[in-house]
Amino acid sequence: MTPRTYLIAAIAACLALSSSAFAPAAPARVASMQSQRTPFQLRMSEPEESSAPVATMEEEEEEPMDAATKLQMEKMRKADELRAQEVFMKRSTGIHKCSSCDWEYDPEKGDSFLIGGMIKPGTEFGDLPSNWRCPTCRASKDSFNEVVETIPGFEVNQGYGFGTNSMTSGQKNSLIWGGIAGFFLLFIGGYALS
């Protein structure tokens, strides 16, 4: 044999012996896996009986973690707590929508504008008679859902600011884009002065 083949054989032997060097250390799991092996071959009809205790979540969490993983887990826990505290404020529009045909009952319009409509404008949905039905699909009053506007942000923060915290996203967009358009007109108006 040549020295080159000895070198290759030595490297292969070292790699074979040290292949478990990069695996995570878990001696308790290896020992429990070896104790669960049965000395005889099981058939498909025979259930495997396990006398080893079942690992609980607490034992799994006790595995060693590096500092970065612990920090990331703590950040995820705090983010989940903040998401649980986030309650969006919902504001009623007064409009109720039929879940069958998507027809909307608006109290300002009523349904007298439709053929056969008997409800005058200004009648709230709660004041409608119990036998009132959807004018388009004849669904009962119970199949109507209230349409609400969601105001983004924490409910506890809605009272702060200059009133903009209690605005819906559409109102905020109108304010922002209206401000940009107003600035643009003012900027262009400067050219008209000269």
Side-chain angles (χ1 to χ4, degrees), residues 3 21 26 41 50 79 83 96 99 114 136 142 180 188:
Q41 187 174 6
S50 175
R83 278 190 206 101
H96 287 73
S99 60
L114 297 170
T136 58
D142 297 337
I180 290 173
I188 295 297

Side-chain angles (χ1 to χ4, degrees), residues 5 13 17 50 55 63-64 88 103 107 111 115 121 135 156 164 169 183 191:
T5 56
L17 293 175
S50 175
E63 292 181 12
F88 292 128
W103 185 78
D111 74 349
I115 297 174
V156 294
T164 56
S169 57
F183 175 75
Y191 287 113

Side-chain angles (χ1 to χ4, degrees), residues 7-182:
L7 179 64
I8 292 173
I11 291 174
C14 288
L15 287 175
L17 293 175
S18 67
S19 65
S20 64
F22 297 107
R29 286 189 180 175
V30 172
S32 67
M33 297 264 301
Q34 289 174 349
S35 67
Q36 288 181 358
R37 291 186 183 160
T38 56
F40 57 91
Q41 187 174 6
L42 292 175
R43 293 193 176 91
M44 291 184 73
S45 62
E46 296 175 358
E48 183 178 348
E49 297 178 11
S50 175
S51 61
V54 179
T56 61
M57 294 295 283
E58 295 172 359
E59 291 176 4
E60 291 178 8
E61 291 180 4
E62 291 179 4
E63 292 181 12
M65 287 191 274
D66 61 340
T69 305
K70 285 182 182 179
L71 180 65
Q72 186 66 25
M73 295 293 283
E74 182 66 23
K75 285 182 180 179
M76 286 174 46
R77 187 186 62 77
K78 286 181 181 179
D80 289 339
E81 285 178 9
L82 284 175
R83 278 190 206 101
Q85 292 174 2
E86 188 172 20
V87 177
F88 292 128
M89 192 165 103
K90 298 191 182 297
R91 185 182 338 169
S92 175
T93 59
I95 297 173
H96 287 73
K97 190 177 206 177
C98 179
S99 60
S100 300
C101 68
D102 290 339
W103 185 78
E104 293 181 346
Y105 175 77
D106 189 355
E108 296 174 0
K109 297 178 183 176
D111 74 349
S112 61
F113 64 93
L114 297 170
I115 297 174
M118 304 291 287
I119 307 300
K120 302 286 183 206
T123 306
E124 294 295 324
F125 188 78
D127 297 336
L128 293 174
S130 60
N131 62 352
W132 182 83
R133 295 193 168 272
C134 176
T136 58
C137 71
R138 306 301 296 156
S140 68
K141 185 178 170 183
D142 297 337
S143 54
F144 277 77
N145 299 322
E146 185 178 17
V147 178
V148 293
E149 293 177 325
T150 302
I151 299 173
F154 292 104
E155 189 173 14
V156 294
N157 294 339
Q158 299 297 327
Y160 298 114
F162 297 111
T164 56
N165 284 348
S166 61
M167 296 173 100
T168 63
S169 57
Q171 292 170 333
K172 288 178 184 178
N173 282 338
S174 299
L175 183 68
I176 291 168
W177 290 107
I180 290 173

